[in-house]
């Protein structure tokens, strides 16, 4: 079974190298909802690791807290990540949430251990342009976010700034993954809504940031809904 998974993962990596270049609206955003206390999550974490190396993808791991009760408290878990996943479920009309789940482009939900489904959705989003783009420029502790749109943003958008840790290894001592040393990629450490953009006029805002971790900005329909534009400073 494990050999079959890694054969599929190899095909997934090949498929990613053939992906359509990022659309004008930026790299495709992939959110993985995962937990160190979930025995089904490590294969999805490995897929996200591969995605993190793709220039046409912004891969983000959001660790949730609802498996902490079964014996191991995820050291990266944040209740706000659980709330974000619950809001995605509400918008989609789903009655429950689960791990590992990937949300692609803010719209498509897929089991995180289905690499070919993930690759196909990424290719579809990469080939679809929203007519909206943003650019980032950092000077010291100031981040300038500028943007333009070719069409009306009828639902409005939320401008969000995300910070992440590129890689961390954790020795899990209890719970379903007890005894395993697991490496995680692009672990979200901060997710903040910093403003709104209606699309009536260009976007131009300055945000104060600190630290040296990568900076991601996502312009997304409320809900959360479709990602209209994205950019990253690594």
């Amino acid at each position: 079974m494990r050999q079959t998974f890694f054969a599929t993962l190899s095909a997934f990596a090949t498929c990613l190298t053939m992906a359509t270049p990022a659309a004008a609206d930026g790299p495709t955003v992939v959110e993985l909802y995962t937990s160190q206390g979930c025995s089904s999550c490590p294969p999805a974490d490995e897929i996200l690791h591969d995605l993190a190396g793709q220039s046409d993808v912004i891969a983000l791991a959001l660790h949730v807290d609802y498996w902490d009760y079964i014996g191991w408290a995820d050291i990266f878990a944040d209740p706000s990540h659980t709330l974000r996943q619950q809001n995605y479920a509400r918008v989609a009309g789903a009655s429950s949430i689960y791990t590992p789940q990937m949300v692609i482009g803010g719209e498509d939900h897929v089991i995180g251990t289905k690499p070919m489904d993930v690759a196909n959705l990424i290719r579809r989003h990469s080939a679809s342009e929203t007519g909206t783009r943003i650019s980032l420029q950092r000077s010291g502790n100031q981040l300038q976010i500028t943007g333009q749109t070719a069409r009306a943003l009828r639902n409005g958008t939320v401008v969000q700034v995300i910070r992440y840790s590129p890689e961390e290894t954790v020795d899990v001592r209890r719970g379903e993954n007890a005894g395993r040393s697991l490496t995680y990629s692009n672990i979200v450490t901060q997710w903040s809504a910093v403003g709104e953009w209606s699309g009536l006029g260009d976007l131009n805002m300055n945000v104060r940031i600190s630290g040296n971790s990568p900076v991601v900005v996502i312009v997304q329909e409320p809900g959360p809904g479709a990602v209209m534009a994205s950019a990253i400073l690594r």
Side-chain angles (χ1 to χ4, degrees), residues 16-210:
L16 282 175
T17 62
M18 299 169 60
T20 305
D25 49 327
T28 300
V29 177
V30 178
E31 302 169 48
L32 170 64
Y33 291 87
T34 186
S35 173
Q36 294 166 11
C38 162
S39 62
S40 300
C41 287
D45 298 321
E46 292 178 25
I47 291 171
L48 193 84
H49 172 77
D50 287 346
L51 290 173
Q54 300 293 318
S55 62
D56 60 339
V57 173
I58 295 176
L60 301 169
L62 291 91
H63 288 243
V64 297
D65 62 351
Y66 51 84
W67 294 124
D68 288 359
Y69 77 95
I70 61 177
W72 177 256
D74 189 319
I75 64 173
F76 305 131
D78 190 323
S80 67
H81 299 167
T82 301
L83 179 60
R84 182 172 173 84
Q85 189 184 21
Q86 289 171 335
N87 286 335
Y88 270 128
R90 175 182 51 78
V91 171
S95 59
S96 62
I97 57 176
Y98 64 90
T99 55
Q101 181 188 39
M102 288 189 181
V103 178
I104 299 173
E107 294 182 296
D108 291 306
H109 303 185
V110 64
I111 297 171
T113 52
K114 293 188 173 182
M116 300 312 294
D117 290 348
V118 172
N120 288 335
L121 287 168
I122 290 171
R123 292 178 68 181
R124 193 179 82 186
H125 279 272
S126 294
S128 176
E129 296 188 7
T130 67
T132 304
R133 68 173 68 200
I134 58 172
S135 300
L136 310 180
Q137 185 172 347
R138 181 173 182 175
S139 177
N141 288 338
Q142 291 295 317
L143 175 69
Q144 184 180 32
I145 307 169
T146 57
Q148 300 81 37
T149 183
R151 63 189 73 167
L153 301 173
R154 65 181 185 277
N155 297 319
T157 60
V158 181
V159 182
Q160 299 157 95
V161 175
I162 299 98
R163 311 298 297 274
Y164 68 82
S165 174
E167 187 169 288
E168 302 279 353
T169 298
V170 178
D171 294 324
V172 181
R173 296 188 296 274
R174 295 182 298 278
E176 292 185 353
N177 291 314
R180 301 185 66 176
S181 181
L182 300 173
T183 298
Y184 297 95
S185 299
N186 292 16
I187 307 142
V188 171
T189 57
Q190 179 184 343
W191 194 302
S192 303
V194 296
E196 298 179 352
W197 182 32
S198 67
L200 300 175
D202 291 348
L203 172 66
N204 193 341
M205 65 170 57
N206 287 283
V207 179
R208 184 173 178 83
I209 60 174
S210 61

